[in-house]
Amino acid sequence: MIRMCDLPRYADADMEEIKKMKEAHVVLNQITYEPKALYRGYTDKRLKIDVSDNSVSILDIPQEVKEKFTGGKGYCLRYLWDSVNPQTRWDSPENAITMSAGPVAGITQYGGTGKCLVCTISPMTDIPIDSNVGGYFGPFLKFSGFDMIELTGKAKEDVIIVIDGNKGIISVEKAPLEHRDAHILGEELTAMYAEDENDRKNVAVVCSGSAAEHCNLSMLNFTFYDPKRNVVRLKQAGRGGIGRVFADKRIKALVCRFKGVKANLNDVYDIKILNKDGLKFHREVATLDNKQNAMRKSGTAYSLQTLSDYDILPTHNYKYGGTEKVSEMKAEVWQEKWLTQGGADGCWYGCSMACAKTADHFLLKTGPYKGCRVCVDGPEYESAAGLGPNCGITDPQVILELNFYCDTYGIDTISYGTMTAFLMECYENGILNKERTGGLELVWGNAEADLELLHLIARNEGFGKIGALGSHKQKAYFAEQGWGDMDFMNDIAMEQKGLEYSEYSSKESLAQQGGYGLTNKGPQHDEAWLIFMDQVNNQIPTFDDKAEALYYYPMFRTWFGLLGLCKLPWNDIVPADNSLRDEPAKVPEHVDNYLDLYYGVTGVKIDRDDMIRMSERVYNFQRIFNIRLGKGLRRNDAIPYRSQGPVTEEEYLSRQERYDRQLVELVGKTAEEVQAMSLQEKMAATRSYRESEYEKLIDAVYPKRGWTLNGVPTVAHLKELGMDLPELLEIVEPLQDVQP
Amino acid sequence: MKRLEKDEALCTGCRQCEEACSKAFYKTADRMKSCIRITDREDGTHKISICTQCGICAEVCNTGVISRDAKGVYRLDKKECAGCLMCVGFCPEDVMVQSDDCLEPSKCTACGICVKACPSGAIRLVEE
Amino acid sequence: MKLNDRPYENWHEGLTIRGVMDYMHFTWPKLVVKVNGQLVWPEDYGNVVLKEDDDLKIHHLLGGG
């Protein structure tokens, strides 16, 4: 076991080099301002920076926007809408990157209260992506006086943006000598803007990595400085290619410095409530985490073995739901061999859930940093599953190396994992071969080829140029080249709306198929994670039950992104008596805590219905935003068949008993009929049934959400929500009676 | 090394120690503002909870504001403390103090005020 | 016997809750187990013997993604 107390600290940056880098900066614009203090969670100010002309504006956020959009994702989407028009593409100058933390973010007493939401028009989906990220930038932005930052335009040369929230200085500067890869750039800027060693924890950096200039899968890293390790840590706004937009705007990094983090910078309404619930939460984690998920020991990777046991762990591009070899990477292996134990690993102050684990002084075996010993953040469950068994890899050392390079290059581990799984299946099926990949033998489990692909993407060389496209565009390319059949590739490429799926096999859960397919941004599990409730517990058996869940959970979970909260403390730890409550899956005591926190910060009392209402406003706004940009109707909620059932014979045969039984129990065949059917006939009948079930699911879900059967929010529903805004009615009114 | 030690058999449950500690640092007689806490057991004996200088508070702090001094006493630097209260929540003896009047919690500094206040010698300060 | 409202095919005399969990390969530790609406605590999983017409619920609590 690797213990925190035995760990040597990482080396300091070379301050001479840092000095030279700083001296090479050219300030293009600098303003001073009076940082507005927070009041009950808000400053009501937003910062807008247009890098086309380096203009810096500080604008008000009006009361009506606060009332309807709350904060966080709500603010991000509102101001993104205002910045773009229906013809705007991801690389248009008017595409904006908006970031907002939310009114509760920045308190320190409760776990998971430092989150920031980031939105932009995605290069992968061409509609808004929303991404939730930890680290210190979100709270520091608030403390610096801003509920939101909006980045528009395009710079002629790479710039960084520096915000000093104590001194009240914002500058746009050229920073020519700094590196691009996040694990170095983060260190350079932290060392550069910290006044001394003790001040490093007061510097937060946002940056992508060297892949961002050409890779659609690029994300944003949000840093925080770890004083115990003396290293800069990386959290990610992972999904949707925001890093690509960032680099397209020629923004290399954002830096925000704020000194003086205290428990009440939000100037909350009643701090006693925060103290009481925070202390209660910490005590809960202290006594129960070990008996529950052991998040403090293994992070979110605790569930790998379990999900394989239940046939949910995506294996070989979601063909299968698990593998015996997952034992090589189960929670105990991470805890005992790879992840440092005993660190204070929250990604914001006061997070006792402390799930941001690291593999320290990890020796890299490939790539530009081969031979270096680095700090690897993660792996999260998603990264471990996607980079791992989904690609046929179960060696923790390989997963850590892939994870590290994805992070530093600025590439989303989920999209990279799911995309590589697709490429491997293409290779296994002859759609790709050594000639077409320039020598990369992308077969299941080939770690060497996988890592080499990642490095090629970062260098924009060879097959890396194809790798950089993402699976949605790769299908079109492969079909164009005449390499593969489009229908087959549409079945197996696990992407929807242009975004790769995250790492759960939804084949046996119709509710989760909807949980992925009926999302706004694309198949990300942060709206609804219903697999166990559906597949194992059978708690939502009817279409009505599933529809209710697919209405409630996305709305409930949207709320976290309006307030600046992390969802993990909601249900990855539960009170001791949770099983005795009604609806334990909703963890009612924790929901009460969140209502308390909202009241304690803002002074506004809300109930559970209000929570849903607040979310519904933003959720429907986002749906209409999708429609505005051409991708928000029923047809855009179609899903690849691999997410629903067995595409290939080997998949059917691997679960033949189950599928044959379902033909009898669900599809209505007799046992004799099934006996007589050929494999192809059985597969066709299974497919036809499952596809029609999904359509029936949509028919049940849309009305629950207040939408027409074509997926358009109804005027009546918008009026009920107080969202009958002219710009929204303009879009939905003509579509009210249009059939799917 | 400086440490508090206890002998529960000598404790009469008078709680002078609690009063002395909370009065010294919070100007009020309140056991929840004392770094030493007495709990009555059903059999009439008394449990004395003291800071054992175990260091768990320092371990869970993400900012390193709690550190060991030369005498092995864990001290909390209020200046840098962000008031997250994780140390209070994780204290295995539950003897850290969180007060709503103060953004930062406090902890036992092995000052010995409680020892002086104890009439029966149930607690003592040991220096090695 | 029903498990999570689905017919359970492997009932036999002397079947315990633990037996069901082993057969179903239910390895996740955070469970809410009820027999005919009555909560059963983990220490009793090996003791509670199931009757042929029992309504067994083994609900997994997994935070998930």
Side-chain angles (χ1 to χ4, degrees):
Chain A
M1 189 175 289
I2 304 159
R3 294 198 47 85
M4 188 68 218
C5 49
D6 300 328
L7 221 49
R9 283 160 64 81
Y10 288 84
D12 282 341
D14 180 347
M15 289 314 290
E16 280 305 308
E17 283 303 307
I18 300 295
K19 195 154 159 268
K20 283 191 205 139
M21 288 176 180
K22 183 96 200 289
E23 280 160 6
H25 283 197
V26 175
V27 177
L28 301 174
N29 188 20
Q30 182 170 291
I31 66 144
T32 57
Y33 71 104
E34 199 59 55
K36 179 139 182 275
L38 288 154
Y39 175 68
R40 299 202 182 164
Y42 292 97
T43 65
D44 299 324
K45 295 279 182 204
R46 65 186 170 103
L47 175 61
K48 180 169 168 166
I49 300 180
D50 185 338
V51 295
S52 297
D53 60 8
N54 302 316
S55 58
V56 177
S57 328
I58 296 173
L59 304 154
D60 291 329
I61 298 181
Q63 182 63 17
E64 312 90 72
V65 173
K66 187 193 281 189
E67 274 166 18
K68 295 198 192 296
F69 294 90
T70 304
K73 185 183 343 195
Y75 281 10
C76 286
L77 289 169
R78 168 79 269 175
Y79 289 102
L80 178 62
W81 177 297
D82 290 345
S83 191
V84 307
N85 60 66
Q87 285 71 46
T88 301
R89 309 215 13 102
W90 69 271
D91 55 353
S92 307
E94 72 272 14
N95 185 17
I97 299 175
T98 49
M99 303 179 185
S100 172
V104 176
I107 70 170
T108 60
Q109 297 91 327
Y110 200 89
T113 55
K115 296 298 216 89
C116 188
L117 253 290
V118 187
C119 292
T120 194
I121 308 295
S122 160
M124 306 180 79
T125 63
D126 302 317
I127 55 178
I129 184 71
D130 60 273
S131 191
N132 183 327
V133 56
Y136 289 12
F137 184 82
F140 281 9
L141 183 68
K142 284 185 70 170
F143 302 156
S144 301
F146 305 110
D147 289 344
M148 209 190 84
I149 184 172
E150 183 182 337
L151 305 167
T152 60
K154 290 206 213 196
K156 293 180 208 44
E157 292 168 90
D158 291 333
V159 296
I160 66 169
I161 294 166
V162 186
I163 302 167
D164 189 313
N166 296 110
K167 299 185 182 129
I169 303 177
I170 301 171
S171 60
V172 183
E173 312 181 8
K174 284 201 280 191
L177 298 181
E178 282 84 340
H179 290 79
R180 279 195 192 286
D181 284 339
H183 81 285
I184 303 179
L185 180 56
E187 294 285 352
E188 288 170 350
L189 293 173
T190 301
M192 186 182 295
Y193 287 97
E195 293 184 344
D196 51 44
E197 187 179 326
N198 192 38
D199 197 42
R200 288 180 201 161
K201 64 182 184 287
N202 300 323
V203 178
V205 178
V206 176
C207 66
S208 188
S210 53
E213 288 187 319
H214 39 261
C215 180
N216 284 337
L217 285 55
S218 295
M219 51 70 169
L220 288 180
N221 287 290
F222 274 52
T223 73
F224 66 97
Y225 172 74
D226 180 342
K228 289 184 172 176
R229 290 177 175 82
N230 190 31
V231 79
V232 168
R233 304 281 303 275
L234 302 174
K235 302 297 290 179
Q236 289 74 36
R239 309 305 329 266
I242 303 173
R244 181 101 208 259
V245 180
F246 199 71
D248 185 65
K249 293 185 176 308
R250 316 273 331 240
I251 304 174
K252 200 163 162 182
L254 310 179
V255 182
C256 187
R257 179 183 168 271
F258 182 83
K259 178 179 159 140
V261 177
K262 286 287 178 187
N264 198 11
L265 293 176
N266 273 295
D267 194 8
V268 303
Y269 171 71
D270 186 349
I271 200 171
K272 295 193 291 296
I273 299 174
L274 275 51
N275 292 341
K276 176 160 163 285
D277 277 359
L279 203 40
K280 181 180 70 158
F281 178 76
H282 296 323
R283 289 193 168 117
E284 196 178 296
V285 175
T287 48
L288 297 175
D289 179 52
N290 255 352
K291 300 181 211 169
Q292 294 182 14
N293 295 340
M295 294 276 268
R296 290 178 63 88
K297 290 184 173 166
S298 43
T300 58
Y302 67 84
S303 57
L304 290 159
Q305 173 82 60
T306 304
L307 291 183
S308 181
D309 289 344
Y310 289 81
D311 219 22
I312 293 168
L313 183 72
T315 303
H316 290 195
N317 196 30
Y318 302 82
K319 286 174 80 169
Y320 309 110
T323 164
E324 266 167 22
K325 297 182 77 191
V326 74
S327 58
E328 294 169 24
M329 50 183 285
K330 63 184 179 184
E332 291 79 3
V333 172
W334 293 109
Q335 285 171 29
E336 275 149 36
K337 242 196 118 190
W338 297 100
L339 302 178
T340 301
Q341 300 297 305
D345 295 326
C347 72
W348 176 242
Y349 290 82
C351 192
S352 39
M353 195 87 270
C355 74
K357 315 318 292 180
T358 58
D360 284 297
H361 304 287
F362 178 82
L363 181 64
L364 294 170
K365 295 191 177 169
T366 71
Y369 307 109
K370 174 176 170 172
C372 295
R373 286 194 176 273
V374 295
C375 178
V376 186
D377 270 282
E380 304 284 345
Y381 163 81
E382 297 290 324
S383 310
L387 300 171
N390 211 6
C391 296
I393 290 168
T394 50
D395 179 350
Q397 193 277 327
V398 174
I399 290 169
L400 284 167
E401 182 131 349
L402 286 164
N403 195 144
F404 173 80
Y405 273 112
C406 280
D407 284 354
T408 200
Y409 287 155
I411 292 174
D412 174 23
T413 50
I414 295 178
S415 277
Y416 182 76
T418 297
M419 176 195 81
T420 303
F422 165 66
L423 294 175
M424 285 176 167
E425 188 165 358
C426 285
Y427 198 102
E428 297 272 355
N429 278 279
I431 296 172
L432 294 174
N433 53 44
K434 256 188 166 163
E435 191 201 0
R436 293 170 184 170
T437 65
L440 290 179
E441 217 176 327
L442 287 167
V443 297
W444 303 124
N446 189 344
E448 205 184 300
D450 193 341
L451 280 157
E452 186 52 25
L453 173 63
L454 188 51
H455 299 310
L456 286 171
I457 290 176
R459 299 201 306 268
N460 199 28
E461 280 174 20
F463 195 67
K465 296 187 193 183
I466 308 300
L469 295 174
S471 42
H472 178 74
K473 295 186 162 79
Q474 281 159 358
K475 285 187 289 185
Y477 179 75
F478 297 163
E480 247 171 73
Q481 301 299 310
W483 294 349
D485 171 56
M486 197 64 190
D487 286 339
F488 177 65
M489 289 192 290
N490 277 333
D491 277 351
I492 66 167
M494 284 292 278
E495 63 88 11
Q496 193 228 32
K497 301 182 170 91
L499 183 69
E500 281 77 15
Y501 270 67
S502 73
E503 311 300 325
Y504 302 95
S505 175
S506 54
K507 279 183 191 168
E508 301 313 314
S509 168
L510 179 61
Q512 192 57 39
Q513 290 165 32
Y516 272 133
L518 305 177
T519 51
N520 272 323
K521 61 170 139 310
Q524 172 69 351
H525 56 282
D526 68 342
E527 286 196 15
W529 197 86
L530 303 170
I531 304 187
F532 267 71
M533 188 188 300
D534 183 27
Q535 178 179 327
V536 182
N537 299 348
N538 195 25
Q539 286 171 284
I540 41 177
T542 67
F543 281 106
D544 195 65
D545 292 332
K546 292 180 172 68
E548 180 58 40
L550 285 166
Y551 161 71
Y552 174 80
Y553 281 98
M555 300 312 157
F556 176 75
R557 291 186 60 154
T558 291
W559 199 77
F560 290 90
L562 306 182
L563 279 292
L565 296 167
C566 174
K567 87 91 189 167
L568 300 183
W570 164 53
N571 68 354
D572 272 298
I573 181 100
V574 300
D577 66 350
N578 190 54
S579 355
L580 302 171
R581 307 287 301 262
D582 289 335
E583 298 192 283
K586 292 183 178 172
V587 198
E589 185 182 313
H590 283 179
V591 178
D592 289 333
N593 290 353
Y594 287 118
L595 296 174
D596 282 349
L597 291 184
Y598 184 79
Y599 175 58
V601 171
T602 65
V604 177
K605 256 217 189 318
I606 58 169
D607 61 22
R608 282 157 164 76
D609 290 335
D610 294 322
M611 270 175 136
I612 300 300
R613 182 122 306 205
M614 289 158 82
S615 300
E616 269 200 278
R617 294 190 188 112
V618 174
Y619 196 89
N620 279 274
F621 184 82
Q622 190 170 356
R623 180 75 178 187
I624 299 171
F625 205 157
N626 286 354
I627 297 173
R628 184 188 188 210
L629 295 181
K631 246 194 210 179
L633 301 177
R634 184 177 181 132
R635 62 169 181 267
N636 304 111
D637 288 343
I639 52 179
Y641 183 58
R642 175 59 63 73
S643 76
Q644 297 178 275
V647 175
T648 61
E649 291 183 358
E650 56 267 27
E651 285 162 82
Y652 191 99
L653 293 170
S654 75
R655 291 284 177 271
Q656 179 166 7
E657 211 186 287
R658 173 195 297 160
Y659 294 134
D660 283 355
R661 187 171 23 93
Q662 284 181 358
L663 282 170
V664 175
E665 285 175 8
L666 302 173
V667 184
K669 305 271 178 210
T670 66
E672 294 74 38
E673 280 175 320
V674 173
Q675 276 267 58
M677 288 164 84
S678 70
L679 181 55
Q680 276 68 38
E681 285 168 338
K682 288 199 277 191
M683 286 174 67
T686 300
R687 179 164 185 156
S688 165
Y689 172 75
R690 286 170 174 231
E691 286 178 338
S692 76
E693 288 288 281
Y694 185 67
E695 294 304 316
K696 288 193 210 150
L697 180 71
I698 298 181
D699 290 338
V701 172
Y702 282 177
K704 273 262 192 302
R705 291 183 177 181
W707 299 352
T708 69
L709 289 179
N710 196 16
V712 180
T714 65
V715 172
H717 189 59
L718 291 177
K719 286 203 162 101
E720 207 202 336
L721 292 174
M723 288 302 275
D724 46 333
L725 310 176
E727 66 268 36
L728 300 184
L729 292 178
E730 189 188 7
I731 292 175
V732 304
E733 263 167 350
L735 296 171
Q736 293 294 291
D737 299 313
V738 172
Q739 291 309 302
Chain B
M1 290 320 189
K2 200 163 136 182
R3 240 189 23 254
L4 275 182
E5 272 185 11
K6 62 181 181 178
D7 185 346
E8 287 181 350
L10 298 177
C11 177
T12 63
C14 70
R15 291 164 163 87
Q16 305 266 42
C17 54
E18 287 178 353
E19 195 174 313
C21 180
S22 62
K23 270 193 172 154
F25 296 101
Y26 288 91
K27 313 289 181 257
T28 177
D30 178 358
R31 76 182 286 273
M32 292 315 291
K33 298 208 167 111
S34 162
C35 294
I36 177 169
R37 290 185 200 149
I38 309 301
T39 327
D40 299 331
R41 294 199 188 88
E42 271 181 32
D43 62 4
T45 60
H46 308 283
K47 176 174 160 189
I48 306 173
S49 299
I50 52 170
C51 173
T52 59
Q53 308 301 345
C54 69
I56 284 178
C57 52
E59 198 179 292
V60 303
C61 175
N62 73 313
T63 330
V65 305
I66 303 180
S67 56
R68 255 181 137 194
D69 70 14
K71 297 227 162 113
V73 177
Y74 283 91
R75 313 292 300 256
L76 191 159
D77 178 1
K78 283 201 175 190
K79 187 160 148 283
E80 297 279 333
C81 170
C84 75
L85 309 180
M86 290 201 289
C87 52
V88 181
F90 275 70
C91 174
E93 302 300 322
D94 200 16
V95 287
M96 287 194 66
V97 173
Q98 179 268 324
S99 165
D100 287 329
D101 302 318
C102 190
L103 291 179
E104 301 88 5
S106 62
K107 75 172 297 292
C108 173
T109 58
C111 69
I113 283 176
C114 54
V115 173
K116 292 201 187 74
C118 176
S120 57
I123 38 177
R124 56 198 185 103
L125 205 51
V126 166
E127 245 176 292
E128 289 147 3
Chain C
M1 201 192 98
K2 283 197 289 177
L3 170 62
N4 291 346
D5 297 303
R6 297 180 178 119
Y8 184 76
E9 289 148 356
N10 249 60
W11 180 85
H12 55 83
E13 284 284 346
L15 178 66
T16 61
I17 292 174
R18 168 65 53 200
V20 172
M21 288 166 60
D22 289 343
Y23 177 77
M24 295 298 295
H25 206 36
F26 281 176
T27 54
W28 181 244
K30 265 166 71 188
L31 306 170
V32 178
V33 178
K34 290 186 181 171
V35 179
N36 303 327
Q38 292 279 66
L39 191 70
V40 179
W41 293 104
E43 49 266 29
D44 293 324
Y45 292 166
N47 307 332
V48 172
V49 175
L50 297 157
K51 299 192 289 299
E52 198 171 3
D53 60 353
D54 274 340
D55 175 15
L56 173 63
K57 290 200 170 49
I58 302 181
H59 283 178
H60 292 59
L61 286 185
L62 188 58

